């Protein structure tokens, strides 16, 4: 399927020399996950659970307890994004004056803008798939929320509602209370690696508004902004997460696998006029990714 190229203009003067790019979310989600690079295709992670039981002291060696070893598999999915731009679309446009080498090359500003927008769009879509992707959909793998909803071992928060500035603080506390009362809750809450509360920027804005109402910070002329923290737990603001969703987990338990993360920023550009005798410029990026977690019972999900 060819790239749909919409070119509209109301030109009435010289070219301003810059483009206003469409806004995209960044891939800040990876800053709060365990990134496993150089995964060849599949990576199997062993999980070890040691159940300890005490017994009276004896002279003889009498082993007790249970050591259980299971595994989870991180399987990469390969994707690509391809675009083709016809240079002739710009020959009758004001951009023509900026085209180089005999007026048959895309202007550098346009080329940079196309590459920047394509990179940002890839990051935004990857961020969404990381959390809510469904493998049955073309161009997606199962995201964290999809995997967790299908896993009965994941702790579901007892309270589930649409989040607002009025209820966000109570809903976070209800999620922590639910998890704290679970079998693994006390161990995770007291672990050396503290869990994080994962939410998207809008949910965090609701939290900031709630804290300002309580007098705990401000965006305005005095004081500091409300920090991404709830008590002893950091808040991980992940742009790809959906609204009305929160996850409470240790970063080491949430994995993003890929081959090389820089692949998502590596866009190859080929002008095919010399090889195919046409007037097209092709853009292509290929990359891979997948997510997985280790222990479902060490995660609490808000937002079913």
């Amino acid at each position: 399927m060819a790239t749909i190229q919409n070119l509209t203009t109301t030109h009435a003067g010289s070219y301003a020399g810059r483009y206003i790019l469409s806004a995209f979310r960044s891939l800040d989600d990876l800053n709060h996950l365990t990134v496993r690079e150089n995964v060849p295709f599949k990576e199997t992670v062993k999980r070890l659970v040691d159940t300890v039981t005490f017994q009276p002291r004896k002279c003889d060696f009498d082993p007790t307890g249970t050591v259980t070893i299971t595994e989870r598999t991180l399987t990469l999915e390969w994707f690509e994004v391809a675009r083709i731009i016809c240079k002739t679309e710009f020959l009758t446009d004001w951009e023509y004056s900026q085209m180089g080498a005999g007026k048959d090359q895309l202007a550098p500003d346009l080329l940079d803008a196309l590459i920047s927008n394509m990179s940002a769009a890839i990051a935004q879509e990857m961020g969404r798939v990381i959390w809510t992707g469904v493998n049955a959909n073309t161009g997606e793998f199962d995201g964290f929320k999809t995997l967790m909803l299908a896993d009965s071992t994941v702790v579901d928060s007892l309270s589930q509602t649409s989040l607002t500035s009025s209820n966000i603080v109570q809903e976070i506390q209800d999620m922590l209370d639910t998890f704290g009362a679970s079998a693994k809750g006390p161990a995770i809450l007291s672990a050396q690696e503290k869990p994080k509360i994962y939410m998207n920027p809008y949910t965090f804005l609701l939290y900031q508004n709630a804290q300002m109402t309580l007098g705990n910070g401000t965006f305005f002329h005095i004081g500091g902004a409300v920090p991404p923290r709830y008590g002893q737990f950091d808040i991980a603001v992940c742009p790809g997460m959906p609204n009305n969703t929160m996850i409470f987990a240790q970063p080491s338990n949430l994995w993003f696998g890929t081959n090389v993360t820089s692949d998502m920023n590596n866009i190859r550009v080929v002008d095919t006029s010399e090889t195919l005798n046409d007037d097209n410029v092709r853009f292509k990026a290929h990359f891979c990714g997948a997510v997985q977690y280790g222990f479902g019972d060490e995660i609490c999900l808000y937002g079913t």
Side-chain angles (χ1 to χ4, degrees):
M1 179 179 178
T3 299
I4 299 174
Q5 185 172 316
N6 296 317
L7 179 62
T8 60
T9 178
T10 57
H11 175 57
S14 62
Y15 170 45
R18 64 180 180 272
Y19 286 86
I20 300 175
L21 304 183
S22 178
F24 291 102
R25 297 188 299 260
S26 62
L27 194 52
D28 291 338
D29 309 68
L30 297 188
N31 296 331
H32 305 289
L33 306 175
T34 298
V35 178
R36 309 182 77 91
E37 286 194 291
N38 302 317
V39 177
F41 171 57
K42 288 187 178 183
E43 183 174 87
T44 300
V45 180
K46 299 291 185 180
R47 305 184 303 173
L48 187 148
V49 178
D50 192 350
T51 303
V52 176
T53 57
F54 291 164
Q55 62 178 337
R57 184 173 179 177
K58 303 176 182 178
C59 294
D60 296 328
F61 183 77
D62 183 14
T64 61
T66 304
V67 175
T68 304
I69 298 177
T70 59
E71 62 185 32
R72 289 184 75 90
T73 302
L74 184 66
T75 305
L76 297 187
E77 299 279 350
W78 280 92
F79 308 103
E80 70 173 42
V81 174
R83 297 285 185 270
I84 186 168
I85 299 295
C86 178
K87 292 181 289 186
T88 61
E89 296 287 342
F90 299 93
L91 293 180
T92 58
D93 184 66
W94 45 266
E95 175 76 356
Y96 176 70
S97 63
Q98 302 295 319
M99 297 174 71
K103 307 302 182 184
D104 63 352
Q105 295 179 5
L106 290 182
D109 286 339
L110 173 59
L111 195 62
D112 290 344
L114 289 169
I115 293 173
S116 296
N117 251 32
M118 189 170 169
S119 297
I122 290 172
Q124 174 169 299
E125 179 64 3
M126 180 61 76
R128 182 193 68 80
V129 175
I130 282 174
W131 298 101
T132 59
V134 178
N135 190 55
N137 296 338
T138 301
E140 298 183 11
F141 50 78
D142 281 343
F144 281 122
K145 188 173 181 180
T146 303
L147 294 171
M148 292 174 188
L149 288 174
D151 187 349
S152 61
T153 68
V154 172
V155 180
D156 293 325
S157 178
L158 296 180
S159 179
Q160 304 278 348
T161 188
S162 295
L163 296 174
T164 67
S165 298
S166 301
N167 66 20
I168 179 66
V169 174
Q170 185 59 54
E171 295 304 304
I172 291 176
Q173 189 57 54
D174 288 346
M175 179 177 67
L176 297 183
D177 289 345
T178 301
F179 184 70
S182 67
K184 285 288 192 69
I188 301 302
L189 292 174
S190 61
Q192 185 173 1
E193 180 195 4
K194 292 298 181 184
K196 291 185 177 183
I197 302 170
Y198 292 78
M199 63 179 65
N200 73 6
Y202 176 63
T203 304
F204 181 54
L205 178 63
L206 297 177
Y207 175 74
Q208 289 176 307
N209 290 338
Q211 292 300 323
M212 286 190 292
T213 301
L214 296 171
N216 295 331
T218 178
F219 289 131
F220 304 111
H221 303 293
I222 57 174
V226 176
R229 191 168 180 82
Y230 181 84
Q232 60 180 309
F233 304 112
D234 288 336
I235 294 176
V237 182
C238 300
M241 291 185 71
N243 289 334
N244 301 316
T245 299
M246 296 185 290
I247 292 174
F248 186 61
Q250 294 169 302
S252 63
N253 199 25
L254 302 178
W255 317 324
F256 172 77
T258 186
N259 196 265
V260 181
T261 54
S262 60
D263 281 349
M264 281 172 280
N265 299 315
N266 183 17
I267 298 175
R268 291 175 293 172
V269 182
V270 178
D271 188 328
T272 58
S273 58
E274 294 185 4
T275 56
L276 300 180
N277 197 26
D278 59 14
D279 287 306
N280 294 322
V281 178
R282 298 186 179 191
F283 302 77
K284 188 173 184 179
H286 58 84
F287 44 89
C288 59
V291 297
Q292 187 57 272
Y293 53 83
F295 296 94
D297 56 356
E298 296 181 2
I299 299 170
C300 189
L301 172 65
Y302 183 103
T304 58

